[in-house]
Amino acid sequence: MIGFNPLFFVGLAVLFCIILWSYWEEWRVTKDRPPEGRLIKTKFGSLHLIERGEKEEVAGSGNRGIRPLVMIHGSTTNALDMDIELVGRLEEGRSLFLPDRPGHGFSDRPKDGWRLDVQAAAIREALREAGVEDPIILGQSYGGAIALRYALDYGDEISGLVLVAPVTHRWPGGVAWYNRIAINPLYGWLFRRSFIALYSRYGAKRGALRALRGAAFASRYFDRTRVAMTFRPSKFYNNAEDIVRLYEQLVAMDTRYHEIPVPTEIVTGTHDMTVITSVHGRALAKQIPNAALKVINGGGHALHHTHPEETVAAIMRLEDRIASAQRSPLQGALKRLSAVFPSPS
């Protein structure tokens, strides 16, 4: 006869209470702040798009070819990750568009939403609905893989790429254990509703502080960017699925980068332990025909936060390259002459 063990039932009761609390916490985090942008209906579901900066296209203003700038966020975050540090430096004279990737933030998750081509297509359709034409696409980390897919599929619709610590190639080793557990069909749900829910409440903020060590706003990042939304069970599943299913897609994609037709700026760091520069950024720079690589000495993975001035400089370099490519030979000669013989003040 099996004896009665009260600790077993106490454990079940505690687990049940944690699960109930996770539902309440999910509701609270979702309702805490409304979307900052607009929800655009696409055939992939609604996509949340934040718009900043100038509302009118200002291409060709001054002596630089300024285009609408689309900034695609990486994993374990949302569109506001691209807003907190970069927008204030870029919004004057530019139209800025910050999408929540499909399945993240306030964007719907379509069928096969983990696929890079699906995410790129969903973002493209939302941008077209918003009237965005000929943009520069910036992608950070996982967002860099989306930007590359966008360029491969719709290269004739964009002006250029800016890739910040992008994940681009197959890498040695696997993915973090919690991502595989999170999508396990047998016990993944329980893991997300218990362990991940508790981590979101009591550990995630400290994790963000460690990841952003050196960034001026690190203490405000977690609350300002609503990172807690990523740890909602359904969103964490999407994030984990993206990461677990990424390698197989890069295997099929990383031999095609020579097809990318647009000028590209790549920014990486020597101390990036998440996306190793030698495996990703340096290899990519050798494959894209019109690519330039900037390696930041001492830079880590979140370069758009710890070295935002370098990210802005890469954008401006790309704009100058676009403008130079569009100038006629006569315009180029006149510009060189004006540099040698400046006008009297």
Side-chain angles (χ1 to χ4, degrees), residues 25-26 28-30 32 76-78 196 200-201 204-205 221-223 225-233 235-236:
E25 183 73 1
E26 180 180 18
R28 183 190 67 80
V29 167
T30 303
D32 189 42
T76 323
T77 187
N78 57 68
I196 295 302
S200 173
R201 182 66 178 84
K205 193 168 187 176
Y221 178 84
F222 188 87
D223 295 326
T225 60
R226 300 189 305 238
V227 175
M229 293 181 64
T230 302
F231 293 92
R232 294 173 296 171
K235 301 300 182 183
F236 194 85

Side-chain angles (χ1 to χ4, degrees), residues 178-192:
Y178 48 82
N179 289 313
R180 293 198 178 278
I181 292 177
I183 65 173
N184 186 283
L186 296 178
Y187 45 79
W189 176 88
L190 182 61
F191 176 74
R192 299 192 306 273

Side-chain angles (χ1 to χ4, degrees), residues 9-10 28 35 110 112 128 142 155 174 178 186 195 211 231 252-253 260 290 295 299 318 336 343:
F9 291 99
V10 170
R28 183 190 67 80
D112 295 334
R128 290 167 69 90
Y142 189 100
Y178 48 82
L186 296 178
F195 181 87
F231 293 92
M253 195 170 78
I260 292 176
N290 198 8
V295 180
L318 183 66
R336 288 190 293 272
S343 301

